[in-house]
Amino acid sequence: MSVEGINGVGKTDAVVGTAAALGPRCLRLDEVTDKAGDTLPGQVVAALSADGDVFLRTGHPVAETLALLALKVREFEQLTAGDLAGVDVVLEDRGVDTTAVYQAVILAAQYPGTDMLVLAERILATTARWRPLPDATILLTGDRRLCTARFAARAERVFSALDQQMFAQAEALYLDLAGAHPERFTILDVTGYSREETAQALTQTVQNLLRTREAVHAP
């Protein structure tokens, strides 16, 4: 399962709390941008963010998209039988849907008139040739203005009008993607929730999805 949402919605804290609540039955995969700087993913992200852009834009959106997809494929390929022993759920803090959504928004800005949902679907289709998409994606939603303000404070940044537009486009595209794939997406509205309440809601959602999966596969 992957957990998605715009920056500042409380996703990472919720994933950490859910993984702790589920214990050893859950394998948590950190967000690619949180990898240590001495790792390959960390070095790639450092190169993409060298100009200080929080959206990892260097002016070469196709190359950036392929680089980020390669990191997500590599992450999947590096999972071993030992990593998965006794694990009921792998919980990704941002999965391939993040790459699809944000890169689709970036690519659409470079190629005006291109449908962002079509671009996102193409990115996911490319990904699916090399690794499976998440069985389930939980999309956290909230008050975008509060989310971006929280993210700006954490990043110690003031976002431009164009940056704010990108947040709005990403939010809308996430919802469009969820609407196009209701069999995979679960929307969890955490507007007004505290960090603890968000983590509890995510934990309950993950447990419900696991129970549903177990019931479907029961003999």
Side-chain angles (χ1 to χ4, degrees):
M1 298 183 192
S2 69
V3 181
E4 299 288 345
I6 62 170
N7 303 76
V9 75
K11 170 188 49 57
T12 296
D13 286 340
V15 168
V16 170
T18 297
L22 295 177
R25 64 189 296 223
C26 176
L27 173 63
R28 176 170 61 89
L29 300 181
D30 291 332
E31 187 174 344
V32 167
T33 53
D34 291 337
K35 302 294 186 182
D38 60 351
T39 63
L40 177 60
Q43 291 169 355
V44 172
V45 170
L48 294 177
S49 60
D51 291 335
D53 189 274
V54 296
F55 299 113
L56 308 182
R57 292 171 294 189
T58 66
H60 305 281
V62 175
E64 295 153 13
T65 302
L66 293 175
L68 293 168
L69 287 182
L71 292 182
K72 296 307 293 182
V73 171
R74 179 179 184 272
E75 182 178 57
F76 171 78
E77 290 179 337
Q78 288 194 317
L79 291 176
T80 67
D83 294 327
L84 300 175
V87 169
D88 292 328
V89 59
V90 176
L91 199 60
E92 286 187 282
D93 183 354
R94 290 202 183 281
V96 294
D97 293 295
T98 287
T99 304
V101 165
Y102 282 90
Q103 292 307 117
V105 172
I106 293 168
L107 284 162
Q110 292 278 336
Y111 303 97
T114 308
D115 186 287
M116 285 187 285
L117 181 58
V118 171
L119 281 172
E121 295 280 20
R122 288 180 181 174
I123 292 170
L124 289 172
T126 300
T127 306
R129 295 179 61 185
W130 304 102
R131 59 156 285 176
L133 300 181
D135 293 325
T137 297
I138 302 169
L139 175 61
L140 303 188
T141 62
D143 185 316
R144 176 168 45 82
R145 290 176 177 80
L146 290 178
C147 291
T148 53
R150 188 183 300 136
F151 179 53
R154 188 172 72 234
E156 298 181 337
R157 298 280 297 270
V158 175
F159 293 115
S160 68
L162 287 176
D163 290 333
Q164 296 288 353
Q165 182 183 28
M166 176 137 179
F167 286 122
Q169 289 173 324
E171 178 184 57
L173 184 51
Y174 266 127
L175 292 172
D176 287 345
L177 196 59
H181 298 280
E183 76 289 348
R184 182 162 70 85
F185 275 82
T186 297
I187 297 176
L188 178 59
D189 186 358
V190 295
T191 303
Y193 284 23
S194 67
R195 291 183 178 181
E196 293 75 16
E197 289 169 335
T198 300
Q200 290 169 1
L202 178 61
T203 301
Q204 186 62 58
T205 301
V206 171
Q207 290 174 327
N208 289 343
L209 288 169
L210 285 173
R211 280 194 288 268
T212 299
R213 184 181 67 181
E214 290 166 358
V216 168
H217 292 93

PDB file of all heavy atoms in Angstrom, residues 1-33:
ATOM      1  N   MET A   1       0.846  -1.184   0.000  1.00  0.00           N
ATOM      2  CA  MET A   1       0.000   0.000   0.000  1.00  0.00           C
ATOM      3  C   MET A   1       0.884   1.238   0.000  1.00  0.00           C
ATOM      4  O   MET A   1       1.976   1.236   0.582  1.00  0.00           O
ATOM      5  CB  MET A   1      -0.891   0.035   1.248  1.00  0.00           C
ATOM      6  CG  MET A   1      -1.861  -1.115   1.371  1.00  0.00           C
ATOM      7  SD  MET A   1      -2.900  -0.915   2.841  1.00  0.00           S
ATOM      8  CE  MET A   1      -3.638  -2.543   2.930  1.00  0.00           C
ATOM      9  N   SER A   2       0.394   2.283  -0.658  1.00  0.00           N
ATOM     10  CA  SER A   2       1.110   3.548  -0.596  1.00  0.00           C
ATOM     11  C   SER A   2       0.199   4.602   0.008  1.00  0.00           C
ATOM     12  O   SER A   2      -1.032   4.491  -0.058  1.00  0.00           O
ATOM     13  CB  SER A   2       1.584   3.989  -1.985  1.00  0.00           C
ATOM     14  OG  SER A   2       0.490   4.344  -2.802  1.00  0.00           O
ATOM     15  N   VAL A   3       0.829   5.597   0.618  1.00  0.00           N
ATOM     16  CA  VAL A   3       0.089   6.702   1.222  1.00  0.00           C
ATOM     17  C   VAL A   3       0.489   7.972   0.491  1.00  0.00           C
ATOM     18  O   VAL A   3       1.673   8.280   0.373  1.00  0.00           O
ATOM     19  CB  VAL A   3       0.384   6.828   2.724  1.00  0.00           C
ATOM     20  CG1 VAL A   3      -0.422   7.973   3.334  1.00  0.00           C
ATOM     21  CG2 VAL A   3       0.069   5.516   3.445  1.00  0.00           C
ATOM     22  N   GLU A   4      -0.508   8.677  -0.021  1.00  0.00           N
ATOM     23  CA  GLU A   4      -0.266   9.845  -0.860  1.00  0.00           C
ATOM     24  C   GLU A   4      -0.943  11.076  -0.280  1.00  0.00           C
ATOM     25  O   GLU A   4      -1.748  10.992   0.643  1.00  0.00           O
ATOM     26  CB  GLU A   4      -0.808   9.587  -2.268  1.00  0.00           C
ATOM     27  CG  GLU A   4      -0.180   8.411  -2.992  1.00  0.00           C
ATOM     28  CD  GLU A   4       1.250   8.690  -3.432  1.00  0.00           C
ATOM     29  OE1 GLU A   4       1.659   9.875  -3.423  1.00  0.00           O
ATOM     30  OE2 GLU A   4       1.952   7.740  -3.789  1.00  0.00           O
ATOM     31  N   GLY A   5      -0.623  12.215  -0.853  1.00  0.00           N
ATOM     32  CA  GLY A   5      -1.244  13.470  -0.450  1.00  0.00           C
ATOM     33  C   GLY A   5      -0.314  14.627  -0.744  1.00  0.00           C
ATOM     34  O   GLY A   5       0.893  14.444  -0.924  1.00  0.00           O
ATOM     35  N   ILE A   6      -0.867  15.827  -0.774  1.00  0.00           N
ATOM     36  CA  ILE A   6      -0.035  16.982  -1.049  1.00  0.00           C
ATOM     37  C   ILE A   6       0.881  17.260   0.141  1.00  0.00           C
ATOM     38  O   ILE A   6       0.654  16.780   1.258  1.00  0.00           O
ATOM     39  CB  ILE A   6      -0.882  18.234  -1.371  1.00  0.00           C
ATOM     40  CG1 ILE A   6      -1.766  18.617  -0.173  1.00  0.00           C
ATOM     41  CG2 ILE A   6      -1.693  18.019  -2.620  1.00  0.00           C
ATOM     42  CD1 ILE A   6      -2.438  19.963  -0.339  1.00  0.00           C
ATOM     43  N   ASN A   7       1.908  18.037  -0.099  1.00  0.00           N
ATOM     44  CA  ASN A   7       2.866  18.374   0.953  1.00  0.00           C
ATOM     45  C   ASN A   7       2.160  19.057   2.123  1.00  0.00           C
ATOM     46  O   ASN A   7       1.334  19.949   1.933  1.00  0.00           O
ATOM     47  CB  ASN A   7       3.943  19.308   0.401  1.00  0.00           C
ATOM     48  CG  ASN A   7       4.671  18.724  -0.785  1.00  0.00           C
ATOM     49  OD1 ASN A   7       4.127  18.705  -1.885  1.00  0.00           O
ATOM     50  ND2 ASN A   7       5.865  18.220  -0.578  1.00  0.00           N
ATOM     51  N   GLY A   8       2.509  18.626   3.327  1.00  0.00           N
ATOM     52  CA  GLY A   8       1.968  19.252   4.524  1.00  0.00           C
ATOM     53  C   GLY A   8       0.682  18.663   5.046  1.00  0.00           C
ATOM     54  O   GLY A   8       0.144  19.126   6.051  1.00  0.00           O
ATOM     55  N   VAL A   9       0.173  17.604   4.398  1.00  0.00           N
ATOM     56  CA  VAL A   9      -1.094  17.015   4.833  1.00  0.00           C
ATOM     57  C   VAL A   9      -0.921  16.127   6.066  1.00  0.00           C
ATOM     58  O   VAL A   9      -1.899  15.748   6.714  1.00  0.00           O
ATOM     59  CB  VAL A   9      -1.750  16.211   3.680  1.00  0.00           C
ATOM     60  CG1 VAL A   9      -1.057  14.883   3.456  1.00  0.00           C
ATOM     61  CG2 VAL A   9      -3.248  16.029   3.912  1.00  0.00           C
ATOM     62  N   GLY A  10       0.333  15.804   6.426  1.00  0.00           N
ATOM     63  CA  GLY A  10       0.589  14.982   7.609  1.00  0.00           C
ATOM     64  C   GLY A  10       0.846  13.533   7.303  1.00  0.00           C
ATOM     65  O   GLY A  10       0.780  12.673   8.181  1.00  0.00           O
ATOM     66  N   LYS A  11       1.196  13.281   6.074  1.00  0.00           N
ATOM     67  CA  LYS A  11       1.357  11.915   5.574  1.00  0.00           C
ATOM     68  C   LYS A  11       2.476  11.147   6.275  1.00  0.00           C
ATOM     69  O   LYS A  11       2.263  10.013   6.726  1.00  0.00           O
ATOM     70  CB  LYS A  11       1.607  12.007   4.064  1.00  0.00           C
ATOM     71  CG  LYS A  11       2.037  10.763   3.359  1.00  0.00           C
ATOM     72  CD  LYS A  11       2.416  11.077   1.944  1.00  0.00           C
ATOM     73  CE  LYS A  11       3.355  12.241   1.846  1.00  0.00           C
ATOM     74  NZ  LYS A  11       4.619  12.091   2.618  1.00  0.00           N
ATOM     75  N   THR A  12       3.661  11.733   6.367  1.00  0.00           N
ATOM     76  CA  THR A  12       4.808  10.998   6.905  1.00  0.00           C
ATOM     77  C   THR A  12       4.611  10.646   8.374  1.00  0.00           C
ATOM     78  O   THR A  12       4.859   9.509   8.794  1.00  0.00           O
ATOM     79  CB  THR A  12       6.108  11.807   6.717  1.00  0.00           C
ATOM     80  OG1 THR A  12       6.360  11.949   5.314  1.00  0.00           O
ATOM     81  CG2 THR A  12       7.297  11.091   7.358  1.00  0.00           C
ATOM     82  N   ASP A  13       4.145  11.609   9.173  1.00  0.00           N
ATOM     83  CA  ASP A  13       3.885  11.315  10.584  1.00  0.00           C
ATOM     84  C   ASP A  13       2.847  10.205  10.722  1.00  0.00           C
ATOM     85  O   ASP A  13       2.964   9.326  11.592  1.00  0.00           O
ATOM     86  CB  ASP A  13       3.386  12.568  11.308  1.00  0.00           C
ATOM     87  CG  ASP A  13       4.490  13.579  11.558  1.00  0.00           C
ATOM     88  OD1 ASP A  13       5.675  13.187  11.522  1.00  0.00           O
ATOM     89  OD2 ASP A  13       4.175  14.764  11.788  1.00  0.00           O
ATOM     90  N   ALA A  14       1.840  10.233   9.862  1.00  0.00           N
ATOM     91  CA  ALA A  14       0.788   9.208   9.920  1.00  0.00           C
ATOM     92  C   ALA A  14       1.335   7.843   9.540  1.00  0.00           C
ATOM     93  O   ALA A  14       0.987   6.825  10.156  1.00  0.00           O
ATOM     94  CB  ALA A  14      -0.372   9.595   9.014  1.00  0.00           C
ATOM     95  N   VAL A  15       2.197   7.796   8.517  1.00  0.00           N
ATOM     96  CA  VAL A  15       2.794   6.524   8.105  1.00  0.00           C
ATOM     97  C   VAL A  15       3.663   5.958   9.222  1.00  0.00           C
ATOM     98  O   VAL A  15       3.606   4.754   9.522  1.00  0.00           O
ATOM     99  CB  VAL A  15       3.623   6.708   6.811  1.00  0.00           C
ATOM    100  CG1 VAL A  15       4.476   5.473   6.531  1.00  0.00           C
ATOM    101  CG2 VAL A  15       2.703   6.988   5.634  1.00  0.00           C
ATOM    102  N   VAL A  16       4.461   6.808   9.850  1.00  0.00           N
ATOM    103  CA  VAL A  16       5.314   6.355  10.959  1.00  0.00           C
ATOM    104  C   VAL A  16       4.449   5.817  12.093  1.00  0.00           C
ATOM    105  O   VAL A  16       4.719   4.755  12.670  1.00  0.00           O
ATOM    106  CB  VAL A  16       6.211   7.505  11.453  1.00  0.00           C
ATOM    107  CG1 VAL A  16       6.922   7.114  12.750  1.00  0.00           C
ATOM    108  CG2 VAL A  16       7.236   7.873  10.388  1.00  0.00           C
ATOM    109  N   GLY A  17       3.371   6.532  12.424  1.00  0.00           N
ATOM    110  CA  GLY A  17       2.491   6.086  13.498  1.00  0.00           C
ATOM    111  C   GLY A  17       1.778   4.785  13.163  1.00  0.00           C
ATOM    112  O   GLY A  17       1.644   3.903  14.031  1.00  0.00           O
ATOM    113  N   THR A  18       1.357   4.631  11.931  1.00  0.00           N
ATOM    114  CA  THR A  18       0.669   3.408  11.503  1.00  0.00           C
ATOM    115  C   THR A  18       1.625   2.224  11.535  1.00  0.00           C
ATOM    116  O   THR A  18       1.266   1.130  12.003  1.00  0.00           O
ATOM    117  CB  THR A  18       0.085   3.583  10.096  1.00  0.00           C
ATOM    118  OG1 THR A  18      -0.901   4.615  10.132  1.00  0.00           O
ATOM    119  CG2 THR A  18      -0.540   2.294   9.585  1.00  0.00           C
ATOM    120  N   ALA A  19       2.834   2.419  11.034  1.00  0.00           N
ATOM    121  CA  ALA A  19       3.821   1.338  11.047  1.00  0.00           C
ATOM    122  C   ALA A  19       4.127   0.899  12.472  1.00  0.00           C
ATOM    123  O   ALA A  19       4.271  -0.299  12.748  1.00  0.00           O
ATOM    124  CB  ALA A  19       5.088   1.785  10.330  1.00  0.00           C
ATOM    125  N   ALA A  20       4.213   1.864  13.379  1.00  0.00           N
ATOM    126  CA  ALA A  20       4.478   1.526  14.785  1.00  0.00           C
ATOM    127  C   ALA A  20       3.304   0.750  15.378  1.00  0.00           C
ATOM    128  O   ALA A  20       3.496  -0.213  16.136  1.00  0.00           O
ATOM    129  CB  ALA A  20       4.729   2.799  15.577  1.00  0.00           C
ATOM    130  N   ALA A  21       2.081   1.144  15.022  1.00  0.00           N
ATOM    131  CA  ALA A  21       0.900   0.465  15.560  1.00  0.00           C
ATOM    132  C   ALA A  21       0.781  -0.962  15.033  1.00  0.00           C
ATOM    133  O   ALA A  21       0.381  -1.876  15.770  1.00  0.00           O
ATOM    134  CB  ALA A  21      -0.361   1.257  15.204  1.00  0.00           C
ATOM    135  N   LEU A  22       1.154  -1.179  13.785  1.00  0.00           N
ATOM    136  CA  LEU A  22       1.052  -2.513  13.181  1.00  0.00           C
ATOM    137  C   LEU A  22       2.215  -3.408  13.575  1.00  0.00           C
ATOM    138  O   LEU A  22       2.112  -4.641  13.484  1.00  0.00           O
ATOM    139  CB  LEU A  22       0.970  -2.395  11.656  1.00  0.00           C
ATOM    140  CG  LEU A  22      -0.277  -1.709  11.103  1.00  0.00           C
ATOM    141  CD1 LEU A  22      -0.187  -1.588   9.589  1.00  0.00           C
ATOM    142  CD2 LEU A  22      -1.534  -2.458  11.507  1.00  0.00           C
ATOM    143  N   GLY A  23       3.323  -2.805  13.981  1.00  0.00           N
ATOM    144  CA  GLY A  23       4.467  -3.590  14.446  1.00  0.00           C
ATOM    145  C   GLY A  23       5.161  -4.348  13.324  1.00  0.00           C
ATOM    146  O   GLY A  23       5.179  -3.907  12.175  1.00  0.00           O
ATOM    147  N   PRO A  24       5.721  -5.532  13.635  1.00  0.00           N
ATOM    148  CA  PRO A  24       6.534  -6.263  12.657  1.00  0.00           C
ATOM    149  C   PRO A  24       5.772  -6.777  11.437  1.00  0.00           C
ATOM    150  O   PRO A  24       6.390  -7.172  10.456  1.00  0.00           O
ATOM    151  CB  PRO A  24       7.097  -7.434  13.479  1.00  0.00           C
ATOM    152  CG  PRO A  24       6.170  -7.574  14.647  1.00  0.00           C
ATOM    153  CD  PRO A  24       5.707  -6.187  14.958  1.00  0.00           C
ATOM    154  N   ARG A  25       4.445  -6.738  11.496  1.00  0.00           N
ATOM    155  CA  ARG A  25       3.680  -7.178  10.322  1.00  0.00           C
ATOM    156  C   ARG A  25       3.692  -6.130   9.211  1.00  0.00           C
ATOM    157  O   ARG A  25       3.212  -6.372   8.112  1.00  0.00           O
ATOM    158  CB  ARG A  25       2.236  -7.499  10.715  1.00  0.00           C
ATOM    159  CG  ARG A  25       1.440  -6.306  11.216  1.00  0.00           C
ATOM    160  CD  ARG A  25       0.106  -6.730  11.798  1.00  0.00           C
ATOM    161  NE  ARG A  25      -0.757  -7.329  10.792  1.00  0.00           N
ATOM    162  CZ  ARG A  25      -2.055  -7.060  10.678  1.00  0.00           C
ATOM    163  NH1 ARG A  25      -2.634  -6.197  11.483  1.00  0.00           N
ATOM    164  NH2 ARG A  25      -2.779  -7.652   9.753  1.00  0.00           N
ATOM    165  N   CYS A  26       4.263  -4.928   9.501  1.00  0.00           N
ATOM    166  CA  CYS A  26       4.302  -3.836   8.532  1.00  0.00           C
ATOM    167  C   CYS A  26       5.746  -3.469   8.213  1.00  0.00           C
ATOM    168  O   CYS A  26       6.558  -3.260   9.120  1.00  0.00           O
ATOM    169  CB  CYS A  26       3.566  -2.609   9.087  1.00  0.00           C
ATOM    170  SG  CYS A  26       3.654  -1.150   8.023  1.00  0.00           S
ATOM    171  N   LEU A  27       6.062  -3.395   6.928  1.00  0.00           N
ATOM    172  CA  LEU A  27       7.361  -2.898   6.466  1.00  0.00           C
ATOM    173  C   LEU A  27       7.144  -1.504   5.908  1.00  0.00           C
ATOM    174  O   LEU A  27       6.399  -1.319   4.949  1.00  0.00           O
ATOM    175  CB  LEU A  27       7.942  -3.818   5.391  1.00  0.00           C
ATOM    176  CG  LEU A  27       9.216  -3.320   4.702  1.00  0.00           C
ATOM    177  CD1 LEU A  27      10.365  -3.203   5.698  1.00  0.00           C
ATOM    178  CD2 LEU A  27       9.603  -4.247   3.544  1.00  0.00           C
ATOM    179  N   ARG A  28       7.784  -0.512   6.522  1.00  0.00           N
ATOM    180  CA  ARG A  28       7.634   0.877   6.087  1.00  0.00           C
ATOM    181  C   ARG A  28       8.763   1.255   5.142  1.00  0.00           C
ATOM    182  O   ARG A  28       9.934   1.042   5.436  1.00  0.00           O
ATOM    183  CB  ARG A  28       7.639   1.820   7.298  1.00  0.00           C
ATOM    184  CG  ARG A  28       7.592   3.309   6.928  1.00  0.00           C
ATOM    185  CD  ARG A  28       7.364   4.164   8.162  1.00  0.00           C
ATOM    186  NE  ARG A  28       8.422   4.022   9.138  1.00  0.00           N
ATOM    187  CZ  ARG A  28       9.530   4.775   9.159  1.00  0.00           C
ATOM    188  NH1 ARG A  28       9.728   5.701   8.231  1.00  0.00           N
ATOM    189  NH2 ARG A  28      10.434   4.597  10.101  1.00  0.00           N
ATOM    190  N   LEU A  29       8.396   1.844   3.996  1.00  0.00           N
ATOM    191  CA  LEU A  29       9.363   2.354   3.043  1.00  0.00           C
ATOM    192  C   LEU A  29       9.340   3.872   3.104  1.00  0.00           C
ATOM    193  O   LEU A  29       8.306   4.496   2.874  1.00  0.00           O
ATOM    194  CB  LEU A  29       9.043   1.886   1.624  1.00  0.00           C
ATOM    195  CG  LEU A  29       9.024   0.368   1.385  1.00  0.00           C
ATOM    196  CD1 LEU A  29       8.718   0.071  -0.084  1.00  0.00           C
ATOM    197  CD2 LEU A  29      10.353  -0.265   1.788  1.00  0.00           C
ATOM    198  N   ASP A  30      10.495   4.472   3.416  1.00  0.00           N
ATOM    199  CA  ASP A  30      10.577   5.919   3.538  1.00  0.00           C
ATOM    200  C   ASP A  30      10.382   6.609   2.196  1.00  0.00           C
ATOM    201  O   ASP A  30      10.651   6.034   1.128  1.00  0.00           O
ATOM    202  CB  ASP A  30      11.943   6.332   4.098  1.00  0.00           C
ATOM    203  CG  ASP A  30      12.119   5.923   5.546  1.00  0.00           C
ATOM    204  OD1 ASP A  30      11.108   5.830   6.263  1.00  0.00           O
ATOM    205  OD2 ASP A  30      13.268   5.690   5.959  1.00  0.00           O
ATOM    206  N   GLU A  31       9.965   7.859   2.263  1.00  0.00           N
ATOM    207  CA  GLU A  31       9.866   8.676   1.061  1.00  0.00           C
ATOM    208  C   GLU A  31      11.247   8.800   0.427  1.00  0.00           C
ATOM    209  O   GLU A  31      12.258   8.928   1.132  1.00  0.00           O
ATOM    210  CB  GLU A  31       9.318  10.051   1.435  1.00  0.00           C
ATOM    211  CG  GLU A  31       9.010  10.941   0.264  1.00  0.00           C
ATOM    212  CD  GLU A  31       8.341  12.239   0.697  1.00  0.00           C
ATOM    213  OE1 GLU A  31       7.858  12.316   1.846  1.00  0.00           O
ATOM    214  OE2 GLU A  31       8.308  13.167  -0.130  1.00  0.00           O
ATOM    215  N   VAL A  32      11.297   8.762  -0.892  1.00  0.00           N
ATOM    216  CA  VAL A  32      12.582   8.821  -1.604  1.00  0.00           C
ATOM    217  C   VAL A  32      13.383  10.049  -1.198  1.00  0.00           C
ATOM    218  O   VAL A  32      14.605   9.987  -1.023  1.00  0.00           O
ATOM    219  CB  VAL A  32      12.342   8.797  -3.129  1.00  0.00           C
ATOM    220  CG1 VAL A  32      13.612   9.188  -3.878  1.00  0.00           C
ATOM    221  CG2 VAL A  32      11.892   7.415  -3.572  1.00  0.00           C
ATOM    222  N   THR A  33      12.709  11.181  -1.011  1.00  0.00           N
ATOM    223  CA  THR A  33      13.415  12.413  -0.676  1.00  0.00           C
ATOM    224  C   THR A  33      13.947  12.425   0.746  1.00  0.00           C
ATOM    225  O   THR A  33      14.680  13.342   1.121  1.00  0.00           O
ATOM    226  CB  THR A  33      12.501  13.631  -0.882  1.00  0.00           C
ATOM    227  OG1 THR A  33      11.277  13.431  -0.177  1.00  0.00           O
ATOM    228  CG2 THR A  33      12.203  13.838  -2.358  1.00  0.00           C
TER     229      THR A  33
END
